[in-house]
Amino acid sequence: MLAPYAVSDAESRGRCYPEATPRYRGEFQRDRDRIVHCSAFRRLEYKTQVFVNHEGDMFRTRLTHSIEVAQIGRSIARVLGINEDLVEAISLAHDLGHTPFGHAGQDALNECMRDHGGFEHNLQSLRVVNELEQRYAEFPGLNLTFETREGILKHCTLKHAGELGELGERFLHQQQPSLEAQVANVADEIAYNNHDVDDGLRAGLITLEQLDEVALFLEHHRQVQDLFPQLNGRRTSYEVVRRMINSLVVDLVETSQMQLAEYEPVDVAAVRASPEPLVRFSGGMKEKNRQLKRFLRQNMYRHYRVHRMTAKARRIIRALFDEFMGDPALLPAETQATLQQSEQEGGSIGRARSVADYIAGMTDRFAIAEYERLFNPRIT
Ligand code: MG
């Protein structure tokens, strides 16, 4: 049973290309199923956030990250009485537009696209589901519902918002997205901060002792040490991370329940009109979460081993972009055809967008192999 402030199938603003109602599933289940079957989703297995995919089989990939986000999001959705299927669809789709090599790749591609409209992974996820996936006879893209697409577009500049039609409206009018989109957004943050701690420990980039300067970590680390003094390092860190995730989720649920009780949104329109997001952490937890993020930024994302990898990633993306921009005949035939068409429509900006789409779609290992094929004379 859905709460009155949940998004329901009946009230969905629908799809760009109208379709018959699915027979044995809901609209948002159908969205989720289309996402799971698309090729951008499968490629998430070989894309990373912080580490490069081939660095080790133990680390998160964007695929396992997306599954973790969906798991956390669904748990929260169920307690709040909102639409689990929609949260799951948004969670599984939220990273579809990510470039190879995580944030380094996104920054590099944005830099390459500086004079051609820029590159933003969030907008790219939307491009993937709106047009780049070509698999249905009757429409381009996946033809997802408004609510799923709205959730994918987490943030957006006012300039872009003006060009995005109905999806951009909430940014122009400073409205909130659905509660389901709010939940998927925070679930993403909970998932990546915590798995970066876990992966960072495993990779030896950070240590338990260092992490003790983070209040949220220290609290749970002490608890675990008191309860299980004999536990080894690896299991200790799992246990601490698990408890951190749980405390964040519990705080988020309880704070959001209080917000909902206070604001009493009667429907989705009331959720959208609320001045602040209703899904949020308490003040204390927000600060602890901020401290954790700051720690990761300073100690992990700027670690020399991570930096060495991201510097390499940046060079690869830049080289691929320049090479394809300068000589599109190096591209596979199908991509050349798309590029020619978009160049006819949009000139050099159209050409650059096609090149960016092609590079963004690559997995880490494909980007490295393509770089080798282009620059290593011994490889064909
Ligand atoms: Mg994410």
Side-chain angles (χ1 to χ4, degrees), residues 287-345:
E287 186 43 43
K288 286 183 191 171
N289 195 42
R290 204 178 285 148
Q291 196 199 7
L292 171 63
K293 281 159 72 170
R294 208 180 307 128
F295 173 89
L296 287 169
R297 206 167 40 240
Q298 282 164 359
N299 297 282
M300 188 152 130
Y301 309 145
R302 291 187 193 150
H303 193 286
Y304 83 95
R305 278 167 55 202
V306 173
H307 183 66
R308 190 171 59 194
M309 189 279 290
T310 56
K312 207 173 350 185
R314 215 172 297 128
R315 281 194 291 274
I316 294 176
I317 298 282
R318 166 56 77 180
L320 293 178
F321 185 85
D322 289 347
E323 218 52 25
F324 293 136
M325 265 310 265
D327 187 3
L330 292 167
L331 290 161
E334 207 177 305
T335 314
Q336 278 186 48
T338 319
L339 179 139
Q340 272 157 16
Q341 204 192 331
S342 88
E343 195 167 21
Q344 268 164 23
E345 289 161 15

Side-chain angles (χ1 to χ4, degrees), residues 49 62 65-66 69 94-95 98 154 188-189 192:
Q49 311 232 102
R62 289 216 180 259
H65 162 66
S66 301
V69 176
H94 85 281
D95 269 353
H98 259 290
K154 276 191 257 188
D188 182 25
E189 190 174 332
Y192 68 68

Side-chain angles (χ1 to χ4, degrees), residues 2-68:
L2 291 177
Y5 40 73
V7 170
S8 66
D9 278 26
E11 284 164 318
S12 168
R13 284 164 70 173
R15 303 172 191 276
C16 291
Y17 301 85
E19 291 183 64
T21 307
R23 282 175 73 182
Y24 300 111
R25 339 169 250 189
E27 296 287 356
F28 304 109
Q29 282 178 289
R30 173 148 78 181
D31 280 1
R32 177 210 51 207
D33 297 347
R34 286 185 179 173
I35 291 157
V36 168
H37 288 282
C38 82
S39 52
F41 184 74
R42 284 192 294 280
R43 290 199 298 264
L44 293 176
E45 186 176 359
Y46 302 101
K47 292 191 182 200
T48 46
Q49 311 232 102
V50 179
F51 300 90
V52 172
N53 181 261
H54 61 260
E55 280 191 293
D57 297 341
M58 302 292 283
F59 299 112
R60 262 77 174 184
T61 65
R62 289 216 180 259
L63 181 64
T64 59
H65 162 66
S66 301
I67 294 170
E68 288 181 21

